[in-house]
Amino acid sequence: MPHSQSIGTAATLRNSRSVARLFGDLKVRPKLMVLHNVFFAILVSGVYFALYPYLPDQAKTNLFIVLGAIYVLAVLALETTIMPLYVYRPLRLMLSADQATQHGDRDHELVDESLIPADEIGQIMRSRNATIIDLRKREEELEEALRRLEAQDRLVSLGLLSASVAHELNTPLTVLQGSIEKLNENTHDPATLERLARMLRVTQRIRKISESLVDFSRVRKQHVEPVPLRQLIDDAWSLVAIDEKAGRANFSNQVASEHIATGNSDRLIQVFVNLLRNALYAIRPQGNIVVHSKKLHRNAQSWISIAVEDDGPGIPADVLPDIFEAFVSTRLDAKGTGLGLTVAEGIVHQHGGTISACNRSQGGACLELTLPAAEVRRAGSASCQ
C-alpha cells in the first residue's frame, strides 16, 4: 500500500473516532433524538423508494405526504410523551437524588419507591437506594463507634486520675478515722457520741468511695449476696440527709420489705445515694421524693424494679437522651461532674440489671432500675465485675 494511502486511511479512522466520540458525549436526550430521526428517516425512505416504481404519479405524491406525516407524528409522540415519561423522567429523578446526596440533603437523596419503574432503569434506581441506605447505616454505626471510643478514652483518663485521687485520699482518711475512734474512746456525752458515730460512718463511706474510684483503673470482683432493698435505701437516704436541704424534703421509702435483690450492697448503695442526691438537688424546698418497687417476671427470671421519683422540673429534653453518657450534666460545677449517672449505670450493668430515665406525666423525673431478684441466683456464690 502506498504511503499516501496509508496516511489517508489513518486520517479517516481518526475522523470516524472523533465523530463517534462527539456522538457518545452528547446528553441522552439529543442522542436519542438523533437516533429517532435517523431511524424513521431510513424507514420512511425505504418504504417510499420500495413502492415508488409501482405507483402512479398522483399516488407517489400522496405516499410522500402520508409517510412524511407518519414520520413527524412518530417523532413527536416519542419526544413529547413516551421518552419523557419512561426514560427522561427516571433519569432526572436519579440525577436529582444524586445532587441531594452530594449536598448532604438526606431528606431527598432517595428516589420515591412509587416513582420507580419495573424496567432496567428501575433496577438501577432500587440498587442505588439500597446502596445509600446501607451507606447511611454504616455511617451511623461508625459515628456510634467513635462516640463510644471517645467516651472510653475519657474514662481511661478518668481511671488514671481516680486511682491517683484514691491513693491521696487514703492517708488522710486513715488519720481522720483514727482520730474519731480516739475521741470516741475518751468521750461519754451521748450527744457527742452520736455525732462521732455519724462522723465515723461518713468516714467509712468516703473510704468505700475511695476504693470504688480504683474500679475505673482496674477490674475488681465484688462479692454478691441477698440485699434487702428497703433497708439499703434507708441507709442511702441517711447519707444524703447530711445535706441541709434534706431536712426540708419529704422523703418516702415505699419499697416492699420482702423485695430482696442479688448484688453487692456497697456498690448498690452508691447507686441509690447518687439517685437520691440528684432528686434532692432537683426538687424545691418541701419537695417530694418517693421510692417504690415492684416485682417483675421477664425471660423466665424474677426481677425487682425500683423507681426513684421526684416532683422537680424534670430532665431537660436535650439532656434526657444522653443522660447516662459520661460528663453529661446540667450542673457542671462544684456540685456535679456529669459522672454520677455514668457510674450508676456501670454498677447496675455489672449486676446484670438495667437503668432508665424519663419524665413523669405529672411533673418531675423518674429513674428506674431493675435488679435480679435474690431467688433467681444462688446467694454468696456469684461475682460481678
Side-chain angles (χ1 to χ4, degrees), residues 93-115:
L93 288 173
M94 277 199 295
L95 289 173
S96 177
D98 278 337
Q99 289 178 354
T101 301
Q102 294 172 12
H103 291 88
D105 183 5
R106 296 196 175 190
D107 294 332
H108 301 94
E109 67 180 358
L110 297 179
V111 181
D112 190 341
E113 186 67 28
S114 63
L115 302 177

Side-chain angles (χ1 to χ4, degrees), residues 280-323:
L280 180 63
Y281 175 84
I283 62 174
R284 301 179 302 274
Q286 288 82 46
N288 299 296
I289 300 175
V290 178
V291 184
H292 56 84
S293 63
K294 61 183 176 182
K295 200 163 189 178
L296 304 174
H297 294 278
R298 296 187 316 206
N299 301 325
Q301 290 187 352
S302 296
W303 303 81
I304 306 296
S305 170
I306 311 99
V308 179
E309 299 179 346
D310 64 68
D311 58 358
I315 304 169
D318 59 328
V319 174
L320 185 57
D322 304 314
I323 192 68

Side-chain angles (χ1 to χ4, degrees), residues 106 131-142:
R106 296 196 175 190
T131 301
I132 293 296
I133 291 172
D134 184 64
L135 175 64
R136 296 311 180 201
K137 180 180 178 181
R138 293 183 182 275
E139 286 180 349
E140 292 175 358
E141 292 174 351
L142 179 60

Side-chain angles (χ1 to χ4, degrees), residues 237 244-252 279-280 283-289:
W237 179 252
E244 293 181 1
K245 188 177 180 180
R248 301 189 299 273
N250 298 311
F251 173 71
S252 176
L280 180 63
I283 62 174
R284 301 179 302 274
Q286 288 82 46
N288 299 296
I289 300 175

